[in-house]
């Protein structure tokens, strides 16, 4: 029963994210706020990158579910890659997108999701991109245990990707003179540096949260976690 639930969950989540991505792309020829897709298209937005990340993870998870697993067998390379993707990226980044978006939105929505966006994305799409990600990644913790890398290695990989994305955001600004998020234009150079480091700290804490939840839910002695 647990195996069937896991397979069903992965297929449904994968299909859902495919649908959301298609819905976002269907808006590419609609009237958009000035500068929204002027450089880099949707690929400069962490929200969109997170949707792609979730699709890749749940796609890998669905394929991995098709592999036969025998008692005492070693964990496959595909399973290890899938778990690495979830533990280091899909969980902390997905959580980060939801928490940071709604915190900033509650303070001043113009800094992250201007009111002009409402004419482009209906409320259900906003919640699909910025709300439902959270219960879906939490659900993944509950349906299957995940093998985490050594903490220092996981944090190093997450930190590298964080720096790369921050560099991409700055590059977009230097190229076209428009910040990906209006909030960033409120900071001085030093303030922007502090803000980026703050975001990296939040991501690190979310990584540790996922690691802790995985251990609490499944325990250290789960067969999958002891046969790597």
């Amino acid at each position: 029963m647990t195996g069937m639930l896991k397979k069903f969950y992965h297929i449904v989540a994968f299909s859902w994210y495919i649908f959301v991505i298609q819905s976002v792309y269907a808006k590419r020829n609609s009237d958009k706020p000035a500068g929204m897709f002027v450089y880099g298209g949707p690929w400069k937005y962490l929200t969109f990158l997170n949707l792609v990340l979730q699709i890749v993870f749940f796609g890998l998870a669905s394929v991995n579910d098709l592999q036969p697993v025998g008692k005492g067998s070693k964990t496959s390379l595909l399973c290890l890659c899938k778990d690495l993707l979830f533990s280091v990226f899909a969980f902390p980044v997905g959580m980060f997108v939801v928490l940071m978006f709604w915190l900033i939105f509650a303070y001043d929505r113009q800094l992250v999701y201007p009111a002009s966006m409402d004419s482009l994305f209906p409320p259900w799409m906003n919640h699909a991109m910025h709300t439902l990600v959270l219960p879906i990644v939490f659900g993944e913790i509950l349906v299957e245990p995940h093998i985490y890398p050594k903490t220092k290695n996981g944090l190093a990989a997450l930190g590298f990707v964080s720096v790369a994305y921050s560099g991409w955001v700055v590059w977009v600004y230097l190229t076209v003179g428009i910040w990906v998020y209006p909030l960033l234009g409120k900071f001085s150079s030093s303030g922007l540096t502090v803000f980026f480091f703050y975001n990296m700290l939040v991501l690190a804490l979310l990584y540790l949260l996922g690691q802790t939840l995985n251990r609490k839910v499944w325990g250290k002695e789960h067969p999958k976690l002891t046969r790597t």
Side-chain angles (χ1 to χ4, degrees):
M1 180 64 182
T2 302
M4 289 300 296
L5 175 62
K6 178 183 67 173
K7 293 176 182 178
F8 177 76
Y9 190 83
H10 290 158
I11 286 292
V12 169
F14 177 68
S15 302
W16 166 249
Y17 281 119
I18 288 289
F19 170 70
V20 173
I21 283 277
Q22 289 179 331
S23 299
V24 171
Y25 251 92
K27 300 289 184 177
R28 66 186 183 279
N29 296 322
S30 304
D31 292 333
K32 297 177 286 292
M36 182 177 177
F37 288 162
V38 70
Y39 185 85
W43 297 96
K44 60 180 175 288
Y45 295 104
L46 187 59
T47 292
F48 183 81
L49 293 174
N50 177 59
L51 292 176
V52 173
L53 173 62
Q54 301 298 329
I55 283 178
V56 172
F57 165 71
F58 282 107
L60 284 178
S62 298
V63 173
N64 182 71
D65 289 340
L66 300 177
Q67 293 191 127
V69 179
K71 287 187 176 181
S73 62
K74 284 195 172 184
T75 304
S76 69
L77 179 60
L78 177 60
C79 184
L80 289 174
C81 290
K82 179 261 300 180
D83 281 352
L84 179 68
L85 188 63
F86 178 79
S87 61
V88 180
F89 302 116
F91 182 86
V93 174
M95 291 284 292
F96 179 85
V97 166
V98 174
L99 295 177
M100 291 302 291
F101 175 84
W102 287 112
L103 281 174
I104 299 171
F105 188 97
Y107 174 72
D108 182 357
R109 68 168 298 176
Q110 295 299 118
L111 297 177
V112 66
Y113 194 83
S116 57
M117 300 283 282
D118 291 341
S119 61
L120 182 63
F121 298 117
W124 78 262
M125 286 186 67
N126 183 18
H127 286 292
M129 296 184 292
H130 299 118
T131 305
L132 293 179
V133 175
L134 187 148
I136 292 174
V137 294
F138 266 121
E140 176 62 22
I141 289 279
L142 297 176
V143 299
E144 182 180 30
H146 298 85
I147 300 168
Y148 271 68
K150 290 182 178 179
T151 301
K152 64 177 182 179
N153 294 340
L155 290 176
L158 183 58
F160 175 80
V161 171
S162 300
V163 171
Y165 178 71
S166 298
W168 168 230
V169 168
V170 172
W171 174 261
V172 170
Y173 173 73
L174 294 176
T175 302
V176 296
I178 297 176
W179 284 110
V180 174
Y181 305 102
L183 169 68
L184 301 179
K186 304 293 183 180
F187 292 105
S188 63
S189 297
S190 57
L192 198 60
T193 301
V194 172
F195 181 70
F196 283 148
F197 273 106
Y198 167 77
N199 288 340
M200 292 175 64
L201 175 61
V202 173
L203 275 169
L205 292 175
L206 291 173
Y207 171 87
L208 295 175
L209 172 64
Q211 186 181 61
T212 300
L213 289 175
N214 188 64
R215 288 174 178 170
K216 290 291 185 182
V217 172
W218 298 101
K220 295 181 180 180
E221 303 305 319
H222 187 278
K224 177 183 176 181
L225 304 180
T226 58
R227 66 167 181 253
T228 54

